[in-house]
Amino acid sequence: MKYGWMLAGALLATACGGAVEGDVTQAETPAQVESALTIPTYGSLGAMAGTMEGAPIVVSNNPESVSREGLLLAMDQMSPADANTVRRVLSSVNLDPVGCPSGGLKEFAFYMHHLNQLGASARYYVFVEPAVPGTTVTFNAYGSAITQLDTGALDPGNSPSYFVSLANVLGSHPAGVGTAYGSRFINLSGQTITSEYGLVNLAANAGTSVDARIKVRSTNNTCMKVRVVAASATNASLALAYSLGKRAYAWGNIPTTSSTVGGAPCTDANSIGWGRPAGTYKYERWNASFATQTLTVANSVRGWKLLAAPTNREYIDSTGVSRCEPSTSDISPSSNAQRASALGYYSTNTSGQTEGRDSDPNSTANYGAEYKLRYPVTNSTGQCVEAKLLLTSYPGSNLCSAATTALTRHYDGAAKITQNGVVQPITRLFTKCPVGPVTTTIASKQLTANETVTWDVQFFVPGLISIPAGVLLTSCPCGQTC
């Protein structure tokens, strides 16, 4: 993987100054370039306004391709019934030290993306359960879970990852997505449980994918846990799958974050030491309210880094062990490292040849995270101009047009736009490098002299994308093509 380039794993390859925490305003305004036709280099982009906030997010994406049934993710430690199988160790289970026991949370977002490589049909389950067995939990849950069997394709604009992002900005089940194989829009209010509850139950044939993004909140101040299980056809019932998730871990492709056995850290060609997220991460949302952007020349462009995640660095700790960690100059979350640090993640996966492999301690790429961006723009050029917000990708931190590898997509998700308080039609954001589209329009408006527009942009980061990206603000005279 190139510097600054994070794929959602093998599926895509084969299928196709920092802000202060709590401050959502960033004063920096990148310089205007006097040409709306010029896409800025990644290095010339300004820092993204804002920072991360909200409840924790539980992410299940490592392994992404699942080759044996079992537990994919939990919020507490598990000892497999067979000691010779994979044993994964959580770095911490102290997720909510104020009011929950080990592994418990009262409120969280959840995201998963998995590819079924069991060689046969399987089901993917997400269970919620009381953190203390037998306790009564009442909760609300809102979001979507979608399988490729109900979308029919993994193509751009048709994948489960795209439709989950669309469902969550729509607030409903998307048209064109079936429900026969378990896909649904989840909208539970006052759901009461005393034991495990199957929140997600998705079927997957060999080689197909599943995706989900759900917000869960306890309404009676009681703590919950999450359990994600892949089950073959012989174990494809709620009871059998839940039991399986207590006995054995699933197998699959787990990229290295750091390793002291079988290789040096920061050298994995597929992840430059990032790994993929599997655990509970501190924040669910990036919130940004930009200072007013003033257009002073009719033809202009400026931009900001989106989904930024600089490379990790290798260092020797106090015990003499070589480790791989994010650069100290890019503390997470920050405008130049838009990633939530882990409260608890799988730090060890031991099964002989895979000994020492880790999951991502910083949720690089922010899969499943919500972005809320506010852009006020004023036209001070003295003439009518068309102002646009655009999204573009920077594979390997290069211009999209200069990408050396053609993929089926670089960004493919849905966004909700509000213009001066009026909700606009849902927008699909799609880029494909280098053949295009190298940019995609988020919002646009013709502004008369001294007119101001405020755009509010909301989206949920989909799987099957690459990072980093950029948000551009362009302008050109009304009636001119730009």
Side-chain angles (χ1 to χ4, degrees):
M1 183 174 296
K2 297 180 179 179
Y3 172 83
W5 191 11
M6 178 70 173
L7 296 180
L11 177 56
L12 178 57
T14 57
C16 20
V20 177
E21 186 174 320
D23 176 17
V24 295
T25 300
Q26 169 58 255
E28 177 182 352
T29 299
Q32 294 182 108
V33 176
E34 293 189 22
S35 171
L37 300 178
T38 301
I39 298 177
T41 63
Y42 185 73
S44 69
L45 299 181
M48 178 65 71
T51 191
M52 301 211 77
E53 64 173 24
I57 184 167
V58 180
V59 183
S60 182
N61 187 226
N62 202 27
E64 179 184 51
S65 298
V66 182
S67 57
R68 195 196 76 165
E69 64 178 350
L71 181 70
L72 285 164
L73 180 131
M75 298 164 73
D76 51 9
Q77 306 288 4
M78 190 264 280
S79 296
D82 182 351
N84 295 317
T85 61
V86 176
R87 174 171 172 77
R88 306 189 76 184
V89 179
L90 285 165
S91 64
S92 174
V93 291
N94 189 22
L95 307 179
D96 184 357
V98 175
C100 286
S102 173
L105 288 171
K106 296 177 184 177
E107 181 179 3
F108 56 91
F110 171 81
Y111 179 76
M112 77 168 181
H113 175 83
H114 292 290
L115 174 68
N116 179 26
Q117 296 285 23
L118 272 69
S121 61
R123 297 197 82 92
Y124 289 77
Y125 297 90
V126 179
F127 296 96
V128 291
E129 58 188 304
V132 177
T135 303
T136 298
V137 177
T138 303
F139 68 90
N140 298 340
Y142 178 89
S144 57
I146 296 177
T147 171
Q148 188 182 337
L149 295 186
D150 284 324
T151 68
L154 201 60
D155 299 333
N158 286 288
S159 72
S161 294
Y162 171 76
F163 278 117
V164 162
S165 76
L166 175 61
N168 282 276
V169 297
L170 278 174
S172 63
H173 193 81
V177 178
T179 58
Y181 295 94
S183 298
R184 67 185 184 120
F185 188 79
I186 296 161
N187 190 5
L188 299 176
S189 179
Q191 180 70 46
T192 297
I193 61 173
T194 57
S195 61
E196 71 275 6
Y197 176 84
L199 187 63
V200 172
N201 180 350
L202 295 175
N205 289 342
T208 64
S209 71
V210 296
D211 206 276
R213 206 281 185 185
I214 307 161
K215 183 66 184 284
V216 182
R217 181 176 63 86
S218 167
T219 58
N220 67 339
N221 200 36
T222 307
C223 304
M224 298 170 283
K225 293 181 180 180
V226 175
R227 195 173 302 276
V228 185
V229 180
S232 64
T234 56
N235 288 309
S237 72
L238 288 172
L240 289 175
Y242 183 78
S243 174
L244 173 66
K246 294 276 190 127
R247 302 193 313 270
Y249 283 103
W251 289 352
N253 62 333
I254 300 180
T256 301
T257 294
S258 62
S259 175
T260 57
V261 179
C266 289
T267 57
D268 189 321
N270 292 319
S271 66
I272 63 166
W274 283 331
R276 294 193 195 93
T280 302
Y281 298 87
K282 194 172 183 181
Y283 298 114
E284 64 172 321
R285 181 188 309 113
W286 184 276
N287 192 5
S289 183
F290 283 77
T292 298
Q293 301 299 305
T294 302
L295 305 173
T296 59
V297 294
N299 286 285
S300 68
V301 62
R302 67 192 72 171
W304 299 266
K305 295 175 182 176
L306 176 68
L307 299 172
T311 187
N312 287 342
R313 65 187 180 91
E314 186 174 355
Y315 75 101
I316 306 299
D317 69 11
S318 59
T319 66
V321 174
S322 181
R323 299 192 181 279
C324 181
E325 299 290 346
S327 169
T328 54
S329 63
D330 296 307
I331 302 301
S332 175
S334 78
S335 298
N336 289 313
Q338 295 164 34
R339 49 193 176 193
S341 59
L343 297 171
Y345 70 103
Y346 282 125
S347 61
T348 304
N349 177 5
T350 306
S351 64
Q353 293 182 343
T354 60
E355 184 175 354
R357 291 181 179 265
D358 294 354
S359 296
D360 190 347
N362 290 281
S363 193
T364 302
N366 263 342
Y367 290 133
E370 179 185 15
Y371 269 70
K372 299 181 77 173
L373 310 176
R374 167 165 283 193
Y375 284 92
V377 180
T378 294
N379 176 19
S380 295
T381 66
Q383 66 181 93
C384 178
V385 300
E386 182 172 9
K388 290 183 179 181
L389 279 181
L390 305 175
L391 182 140
T392 188
S393 293
Y394 290 92
S397 299
N398 299 311
L399 291 172
C400 187
S401 58
T404 57
T405 302
L407 300 174
T408 58
R409 75 213 83 185
H410 282 77
Y411 193 95
D412 189 27
K416 179 181 178 181
I417 315 299
T418 301
Q419 180 172 286
N420 291 337
V422 179
V423 176
Q424 306 297 297
I426 299 298
T427 298
R428 180 185 170 207
L429 304 179
F430 175 61
T431 62
K432 181 180 179 182
C433 308
V435 295
V438 298
T439 66
T440 183
T441 300
I442 302 171
S444 66
K445 188 178 190 304
Q446 288 193 353
L447 301 177
T448 59
N450 301 315
E451 185 179 0
T452 296
V453 63
T454 298
W455 287 308
D456 290 289
V457 182
Q458 179 201 30
F459 58 89
F460 296 85
V461 181
L464 295 182
I465 65 167
S466 64
I467 67 168
V471 175
L472 310 181
L473 171 63
T474 69
S475 66
C476 68
C478 294
Q480 178 179 310
T481 301
C482 60

